[in-house]
Amino acid sequence: MTDQSPILRLENIVKAFPGVRALDGVSLDLRPGEVHALMGENGAGKSTLMKVLGGLHQPNEGKIYIGEKQVVMDRPQTAKQNGVVFIHQELSLADELSVAENIFLGELPRKSLGRVDWEKLYTDTDAILDRLNVGFNARTRVGDLSIANQQMVEIARALTVDPRAVIFDEPTASLTDSEKVVLFDVIADLQSRGVGVIYISHRMEEIFKITDRISVLRDGSYRGTLNTAETNEEDVTQLMIGRKLDLSRNKVQHEMGDVALEVRNLSCGKLFHDVSFTVRKGEVVGFYGLVGAGRTEIAETIFGLREPSAGKILLDGQEVTINSPQDAIARGISLVPEDRKGQGLVLGMNCRDNMTLPQIGELTSGPFTSDKAEVAIFDKYHDALDIRTPGWRQTVGNLSGGNQQKIVIGKWLSMHPKVLIVDEPTRGIDVGSKSEIHNLIRDLAAQGYAVIVVSSEMPEVLHVSDRIVAMFSGRVMREFTTEEVTENNLVQAISGLSEDRVA
Amino acid sequence: MAEISKAGLSGFLARQGIIVAFAVFMIVFAIANPRFIDIDNISGVIRSSAILGVMALGVTFVVIGGNLDLSVGSMMSFSTIVVLDLHDKIGPALAIPAMFGMTLCLGAFIGFLVGYLKLNSLIVTLGMLSAIHGLTLTYSGGQNMDIADKRGTWFNVFGQGDIIGIPIPILMFALLAAGLGVVLSRTAFGRKVYAVGGNGTAAVFSGIPRARIVFLTYLMSSFCVAMAGLMQASRSLGSQNTVGQGLELEVLAAVILGGASLLGGSGTIFKTVIGVLILGFIQNGLLLMGLAFYAQYVVTWVIIILAVWLDIAAKRGRLLSPIA
Ligand SMILES: Nc1ncnc2c1ncn2[C@@H]1O[C@H](COP(=O)(O)OP(=O)(O)OP(=O)(O)O)[C@@H](O)[C@H]1O
Ligand SMILES: [Mg+2]
């Protein structure tokens, strides 16, 4: 299979944005039937390279070959006509339309007089959905689906054409373990039919499980391609970040103080029921469970975004009512939300203004906002979190996904909260920064912050938490101390074995 | 490096496209008719744009906050009629604050509906456009409103006076633009307006009271309308009930021409001022070229669309693009 000529080839691609050289002469080839990983730190240029291949960006220099033929990818349709389909890092679905309409958008099957053939549309869609083994059907409204299922719709869309190459840009960032299994089956199926797959992810386990070769970018330049079977995590990391990653740091147990946050018998409609827990100063409590287990909803209730139907919230032993995020912020609660694009950032604003938004009212001298105070905050978290951007004036929407996430984290850390809630804090973050963020969370706890970490990644929860709350279907199933917890009993606690997961 | 400087140039064009377009219009008109850049002509254009301009300043806040305001034209008629009527009844010194109070109430009502009740701003302000028109007619009984003693009042300073040779309407427009420009770009409130219009959900997640901010943008808009009504009434000292009719679209055109996005979250006061001036100079230029009055409507809109297209094209880096 290896001596087959490549499906496509990128040659010396250069792409510059104002102030950034995102790609500096990158070459890549994709063979039939292989899964080719593209790796690199946040902002290394992975998505940009794929956008060039997908006809979304025009390169300043360089050539693209499909087979032996040079092709100018002047627009996305050209890529599609050449059998290159692209599943984006950021979802791009129409919420109000059905799954079927989204999948066949722009190419709905027709009957005479241009009428839409709904019968055919729905049967065709259901046939594709069957292959993906998902729990929703062609008529479901996309807005009603979880993010994970919306991702599946994106994937289904790619399968409508007979692709030669499929690009997945961080497809698993918001998928649960069982959904990942389905995705990997889909990839294996594509592979067996001779389709080439380019796979971008920050998760090493996945890379080593499903890919054949790994190409690495650093700061926009090409660093080499390795055969997955002949390399290991350490070498890849070294190639990515140019140094060895220090993972030796052990979890330091530190002094814990009084209870900072207590939640008693809290319920919110059907979302969660009778939830009680405490978080002490200096403690990190991990909330682990499947998507839809009610963890995010609990966080949002504590932050004043939802009204509880029963139960109490106590801060420092005092019962409090929190009616709005303003209340929560005033009482020293911060929430790093799950959806950075929808809830975390104003994409059209610059980096600094996004970071200082919750406290802009305080960053004033006289009636005016103080540039100096704002830039000082940006600089501090820019350095602490190693955010890659040409400067604070850069529009946040132009940052790479991982760097956007770091802006959101910086935004809420800069509030110096008493209680910090982080919901999926490292979604889309590269290995190096991920361990930095984990260390940061531990350090914050050591300084006396009470921290709640909501995560669907077991290694993350195990790594950062002092205590773990396992949830299933809106209920707390069990609490574990670090001594008690094992992967097995944790998995057991979060899975209701007989229940069907619903979207 | 050629390509970096090219990126720099297109970056400049992307940011300042509308100003470039403005310069091009001016040069073309000046070549066509030298009288166009005569100082008296220029001052005349700015002066007659001042009322529209003041209204556009307020609407800029509303649009950046992610909403529309189509009620400003008929609200301006209301302010004008009210202040003229009260002038003779309670004297100018009381009439002015009374008129401001009434106009602000209208703004607060719209702000309440759009901000707190979250009703669609297009529907609300379109409804208010005709509701306020009805209110004005009811108030005036359909009659034109005139000040009885046009010579014996100081009320005409806002529309006709000048200070060291600068017409007061221009001065008011300039001062208000400077003041609101600072509010928008240099205060926490201004930043919150951008955030609410750019991504309302993220603003709420950041602890910004979205409803209150939207409410306040409408209040500011109605304040500017009251100011415009004052200038209008003072200039003519008499008025029809329909004096502001159709201005809402011209105002919106000026704001959009300045580059504010109808989706919210972008735009500046400075750019709105440029938009107002472009609109004013286009109409003046066409007049000087001897174009029939009615044909002007058509040509004005063609030019507006052309300018907006150039602006978007500069942002995309090419004239036609499959993706935004
Ligand atoms: N439209 C744009 N305008 C300006 N700069 C951009 C634009 N798109 C990307 N960049 C910059 O190009 C660089 C590469 O970004 P890219 O999104 O390709 O990174 P990535 O490798 O996909 O990172 P991540 O792992 O975080 O997704 C970054 O520095 C980013 O800020
Ligand atoms: Mg990316």
Side-chain angles (χ1 to χ4, degrees):
Chain A
M1 202 195 256
T2 40
D3 52 24
Q4 275 177 288
S5 58
I7 306 173
L8 62 86
R9 212 146 44 83
L10 295 162
E11 216 175 81
N12 275 318
I13 304 289
V14 173
K15 175 73 194 174
F17 296 108
V20 207
R21 215 173 162 85
L23 295 172
D24 199 3
V26 177
S27 303
L28 196 75
D29 66 280
L30 181 68
R31 297 171 188 159
E34 82 164 335
V35 180
H36 194 133
L38 191 55
M39 297 201 72
E41 289 178 283
N42 296 129
K46 305 178 296 292
S47 298
T48 306
L49 185 65
M50 292 302 106
K51 284 180 187 165
V52 167
L53 175 57
L56 290 150
H57 283 322
Q58 295 312 304
N60 302 82
E61 283 170 41
K63 294 180 180 140
I64 300 172
Y65 294 90
I66 301 291
E68 287 307 310
K69 189 175 61 134
Q70 192 194 334
V71 179
V72 178
M73 295 289 184
D74 52 353
R75 42 193 189 141
Q77 288 94 316
T78 315
K80 209 166 179 182
Q81 280 152 15
N82 282 287
V84 177
V85 292
F86 191 170
I87 294 158
H88 291 276
Q89 184 167 10
E90 314 289 355
L91 298 168
S92 56
L93 299 170
D95 279 356
E96 293 301 327
L97 298 183
S98 71
V99 168
E101 286 165 293
N102 266 286
I103 289 176
F104 285 95
L105 204 65
E107 39 210 69
L108 296 174
R110 300 290 172 155
K111 292 195 287 197
S112 59
L113 301 174
R115 289 168 302 152
V116 174
D117 188 346
W118 294 104
E119 280 305 310
K120 182 167 161 41
L121 175 65
Y122 289 131
T123 41
D124 285 2
T125 307
D126 280 327
I128 296 172
L129 293 181
D130 275 349
R131 257 171 81 188
L132 293 173
N133 198 9
V134 290
F136 56 89
N137 66 36
R139 292 162 201 260
T140 317
R141 203 185 82 128
V142 161
D144 294 334
L145 295 176
S146 66
I147 294 194
N149 280 329
Q150 293 187 8
Q151 184 83 50
M152 285 295 171
V153 176
E154 290 268 7
I155 293 169
R157 190 193 267 175
L159 300 179
T160 57
V161 293
D162 214 5
R164 273 198 273 188
V166 182
I167 304 163
F168 290 93
D169 195 351
E170 298 194 39
T172 53
S174 48
L175 297 192
T176 61
D177 289 337
S178 58
E179 284 158 341
K180 269 181 227 169
V181 172
V182 175
L183 174 69
F184 295 159
D185 286 347
V186 172
I187 290 177
D189 177 50
L190 288 170
Q191 212 177 349
S192 69
R193 288 189 284 142
V195 176
V197 173
I198 298 180
Y199 189 84
I200 300 178
S201 170
H202 292 293
R203 300 198 171 152
M204 288 286 185
E205 334 83 74
E206 293 171 5
I207 298 290
F208 280 89
K209 197 158 134 195
I210 68 164
T211 70
D212 302 304
R213 289 194 297 161
I214 302 172
S215 287
V216 177
L217 299 183
R218 191 199 312 158
D219 287 338
S221 58
Y222 172 72
R223 289 285 147 168
T225 301
L226 307 165
N227 284 323
T228 311
E230 294 157 17
T231 184
N232 56 39
E233 288 192 19
E234 238 170 80
D235 292 348
V236 175
T237 309
Q238 170 126 28
L239 209 53
M240 271 170 59
I241 66 180
R243 63 189 153 86
K244 275 213 159 63
L245 189 63
D246 182 15
L247 288 172
S248 63
R249 188 168 147 163
N250 278 324
K251 193 171 358 176
V252 192
Q253 285 296 248
H254 39 254
E255 281 293 297
M256 283 182 205
D258 300 336
V259 171
L261 172 73
E262 179 173 359
V263 167
R264 268 190 216 154
N265 310 107
L266 201 67
S267 299
C268 182
K270 288 187 181 126
L271 297 169
F272 57 87
H273 189 72
D274 200 20
V275 170
S276 302
F277 64 90
T278 60
V279 190
R280 295 165 69 181
K281 291 187 175 123
E283 187 179 33
V284 180
V285 176
F287 274 68
Y288 187 63
L290 299 171
V291 172
R295 299 162 306 160
T296 296
E297 289 75 10
I298 292 175
E300 289 176 351
T301 308
I302 297 171
F303 195 62
L305 287 157
R306 294 175 186 274
E307 202 180 332
S309 50
K312 292 179 184 170
I313 299 172
L314 293 85
L315 282 173
D316 296 324
Q318 299 284 316
E319 185 176 344
V320 292
T321 33
I322 299 171
N323 292 321
S324 65
Q326 291 97 285
D327 286 354
I329 291 169
R331 295 183 189 284
I333 303 174
S334 279
L335 170 67
V336 175
E338 151 183 65
D339 172 9
R340 64 169 167 260
K341 239 176 109 184
Q343 304 166 334
L345 295 168
V346 182
L347 288 177
M349 260 190 180
N350 69 40
C351 295
R352 182 200 72 181
D353 293 2
N354 264 289
M355 210 184 253
T356 54
L357 197 55
Q359 52 180 323
I360 188 64
E362 274 84 68
L363 297 176
T364 49
S365 59
F368 304 123
T369 52
S370 157
D371 254 335
K372 228 166 90 192
E374 285 194 73
V375 172
I377 288 180
F378 173 80
D379 283 345
K380 181 169 167 199
Y381 291 93
H382 171 261
D383 296 347
L385 299 171
D386 188 24
I387 299 172
R388 305 287 166 84
T389 162
W392 64 259
R393 288 185 179 81
Q394 178 70 288
T395 308
V396 157
N398 287 343
L399 294 193
S400 76
N403 284 302
Q404 291 180 0
Q405 179 71 11
K406 291 183 186 179
I407 297 274
V408 185
I409 293 176
K411 162 173 162 179
W412 289 106
L413 284 185
S414 71
M415 297 297 290
H416 303 294
K418 279 190 269 182
V419 177
L420 174 67
I421 308 173
V422 291
D423 197 349
E424 305 288 357
T426 59
R427 180 175 285 170
I429 288 210
D430 67 53
V431 276
S433 309
K434 193 167 185 166
S435 79
E436 272 162 36
I437 287 175
H438 290 164
N439 290 343
L440 193 77
I441 289 175
R442 294 302 304 169
D443 288 345
L444 290 171
Q447 291 165 33
Y449 290 77
V451 186
I452 294 177
V453 176
V454 175
S455 175
S456 311
E457 272 186 66
M458 189 179 311
E460 175 160 283
V461 177
L462 292 173
H463 188 67
V464 301
S465 317
D466 296 305
R467 209 144 44 81
I468 296 170
V469 176
M471 290 201 57
F472 172 73
S473 184
R475 285 165 198 277
V476 172
M477 303 308 280
R478 207 183 141 180
E479 258 190 54
F480 298 91
T481 62
T482 23
E483 290 81 46
E484 299 167 335
V485 72
T486 64
E487 293 200 7
N488 268 337
N489 58 21
L490 197 51
V491 167
Q492 231 153 50
I494 64 144
S495 48
L497 297 170
S498 59
E499 262 96 335
D500 277 342
R501 238 178 337 94
V502 221
Chain B
M1 299 191 80
E3 116 211 317
I4 295 298
S5 64
K6 196 176 136 217
L9 180 65
S10 69
F12 174 79
L13 280 177
R15 267 172 278 125
Q16 313 300 348
I18 203 70
I19 296 173
V20 175
F22 182 43
V24 171
F25 282 137
M26 293 296 281
I27 292 167
V28 169
F29 278 130
I31 292 170
N33 188 340
R35 221 165 14 113
F36 183 65
I37 44 171
D38 190 290
I39 187 77
D40 283 340
N41 185 54
I42 290 180
S43 137
V45 171
I46 301 179
R47 183 173 169 164
S48 60
S49 302
I51 291 176
L52 179 88
V54 165
M55 291 161 74
L57 298 177
V59 172
T60 303
F61 278 80
V62 173
V63 169
I64 293 175
N67 294 297
L68 288 175
D69 193 347
L70 294 178
S71 70
V72 290
S74 76
M75 202 189 285
M76 195 273 250
S77 308
F78 173 82
S79 308
T80 308
I81 293 294
V82 165
V83 78
L84 288 172
D85 175 59
L86 293 181
H87 178 279
D88 285 0
K89 290 186 177 146
I90 58 178
L94 288 177
I96 295 170
M99 176 275 276
F100 267 78
M102 288 158 92
T103 311
L104 285 173
C105 283
L106 292 175
F109 181 60
I110 298 174
F112 173 75
L113 296 180
V114 178
Y116 290 95
L117 299 189
K118 301 193 169 47
L119 303 181
N120 180 291
S121 69
L122 181 71
I123 310 285
V124 168
T125 60
L126 207 52
M128 286 301 281
L129 184 157
S130 55
I132 295 174
H133 184 53
L135 196 66
T136 311
L137 288 172
T138 313
Y139 185 94
S140 68
Q143 301 297 309
N144 289 354
M145 206 60 83
D146 274 292
I147 287 177
D149 179 9
K150 291 190 179 173
R151 289 177 187 283
T153 178
W154 52 266
F155 183 72
N156 64 357
V157 291
F158 307 108
Q160 301 171 13
D162 62 83
I163 295 175
I164 49 167
I166 306 172
I168 287 188
I170 294 184
L171 218 55
M172 285 171 74
F173 177 38
L175 285 178
L176 202 61
L180 292 182
V182 167
V183 169
L184 189 57
S185 66
R186 305 281 311 144
T187 68
F189 169 71
R191 188 73 59 76
K192 291 175 185 176
V193 174
Y194 281 106
V196 164
N199 182 349
T201 309
V204 169
F205 270 75
S206 302
I208 292 172
R210 173 167 50 180
R212 192 192 314 157
I213 299 295
V214 170
F215 174 82
L216 288 174
T217 60
Y218 279 102
L219 211 56
M220 300 198 57
S221 177
S222 64
F223 175 82
C224 290
V225 168
M227 202 68 119
L230 175 65
M231 289 156 74
Q232 175 64 38
S234 162
R235 183 165 87 176
S236 54
L237 299 180
S239 173
Q240 300 176 336
N241 289 291
T242 53
V243 58
Q245 201 171 50
L247 277 186
E248 57 281 336
L249 287 183
E250 279 191 56
V251 164
L252 202 59
V255 173
I256 299 306
L257 209 50
S261 160
L262 275 183
L263 301 175
S266 73
T268 64
I269 289 291
F270 177 68
K271 286 185 177 172
T272 291
V273 170
I274 299 285
V276 168
L277 294 181
I278 292 181
L279 207 61
F281 280 109
I282 289 174
Q283 287 168 349
N284 170 258
L286 295 176
L287 207 70
L288 289 183
M289 284 165 116
L291 207 71
F293 186 69
Y294 294 117
Q296 273 191 42
Y297 284 111
V298 180
V299 178
T300 305
W301 279 97
V302 169
I303 292 178
I304 287 172
I305 288 168
L306 209 66
V308 172
W309 176 54
L310 277 176
D311 188 41
I312 293 172
K315 277 184 196 130
R316 286 184 193 137
R318 51 177 160 171
L319 291 183
L320 291 170
S321 168
I323 48 166

